[in-house]
Amino acid sequence: MNEREWELFLAPYQQAVDELKVKLKGLRSEYELESSHSPIEFVTGRVKPIASILDKAKRKNIHLDMLHSDMQDIAGLRMMCQFTDDIRAVVNMLRKRKDLEIVEERDYISHKKESGYRSYHVVAHYPVQTISGEKKILIEIQIRTLAMNFWATVEHSLNYKYKGNFPDAIRIRLKRAAEAAYRLDEEMSLIKGEIQEAHAIFSRKTETNESD
Ligand code: 0O2
């Protein structure tokens, strides 16, 4: 594909990411309006860079003509949560949405990856309205806690540096760090009620100060 063809191919993916970022961030605002605990801390999204698409296609033996059906994460969204429980709430919410059709879920929380990676992946068909009609594209939503996200972000950068071949010492440390992140999530879950109460008091105080 030349540059123009890539641009045309990726346009609906960009459209999907832009739309979903607005929609999913909107959910957080809704919780804030209702002054209830938001299971969503923040949302990010990106279209996979062309170099990464080509890399992955080579690695997974995906023909470029089949990208549309065989590469699930060209349009990627991430939803970060404070607590492990919130992930379930977010997934349940996604399952009820009428604007996307879930085709696969991968639970790397109950079944962590060999690397130590934890996250919940939802793959869905999402319809994009284009000038030539509706196009259904695949999107991947990764749902994880802040601790899981911290680990994955650091590991991703190191992976880039070492091209997947981590020295043993680093690989072991990363696994330990993944376990520490898991324990942090567990500890935080145990004081979830306290944290939420404190957050509610803090929000009310800020609102009062703002209206003074
Ligand atoms: P990027 O840069 O995040 O866009 P595979 O690549 O074979 O593992 P597959 O079959 O597409 O993946 O599905 P999977 O594993 O459900 O999703 C792949 C994506 O999950 C990755 O995208 C990462 O975003 C994330 N991920 C999976 N495993 C790991 C891991 O061990 N460490 C980190 N940091 N992230 C992981 P890409 O394609 O790697 O790229």
Side-chain angles (χ1 to χ4, degrees), residues 46 48-49 52 56 59-60 72-73 78 106 108 113 115-117 121 140 142 144 151-153 155-156 159:
R46 61 98 186 97
K48 209 175 186 63
S52 307
K56 188 164 185 169
R59 188 158 46 85
K60 304 204 111 194
Q72 300 179 323
D73 65 340
R78 259 182 212 149
R106 286 197 283 273
Y108 299 128
K113 283 198 157 188
S115 58
Y117 177 76
H121 293 192
E140 184 183 80
Q142 302 180 344
R144 36 169 92 151
W151 183 92
T153 310
E155 197 259 5
H156 195 271
N159 213 342

Side-chain angles (χ1 to χ4, degrees), residues 46 73 77-78 80 106-122 140-145 147-156 159 166 171 174-179 181-182:
R46 61 98 186 97
D73 65 340
L77 279 301
R78 259 182 212 149
M80 266 57 71
R106 286 197 283 273
D107 181 358
Y108 299 128
I109 294 175
S110 311
H111 311 280
K112 66 166 187 221
K113 283 198 157 188
E114 177 56 28
S115 58
Y117 177 76
R118 277 192 174 91
S119 199
Y120 197 97
H121 293 192
V122 171
E140 184 183 80
I141 308 178
Q142 302 180 344
I143 306 120
R144 36 169 92 151
T145 62
M148 292 172 195
N149 188 51
F150 175 47
W151 183 92
T153 310
V154 168
E155 197 259 5
H156 195 271
N159 213 342
F166 291 122
R171 193 169 36 78
L174 276 170
K175 282 200 178 190
R176 276 197 219 148
E179 287 319 306
Y182 181 72

Side-chain angles (χ1 to χ4, degrees), residues 88-102:
R88 199 166 342 118
V90 169
V91 174
N92 283 335
M93 200 155 52
L94 291 176
R95 288 182 186 140
K96 285 191 206 131
R97 289 189 76 94
K98 298 270 189 284
D99 58 349
L100 46 87
E101 184 198 330
I102 297 181

Side-chain angles (χ1 to χ4, degrees), residues 16 21 146 181 187 189:
K21 271 204 299 195
L146 296 171
E187 291 296 331
S189 292

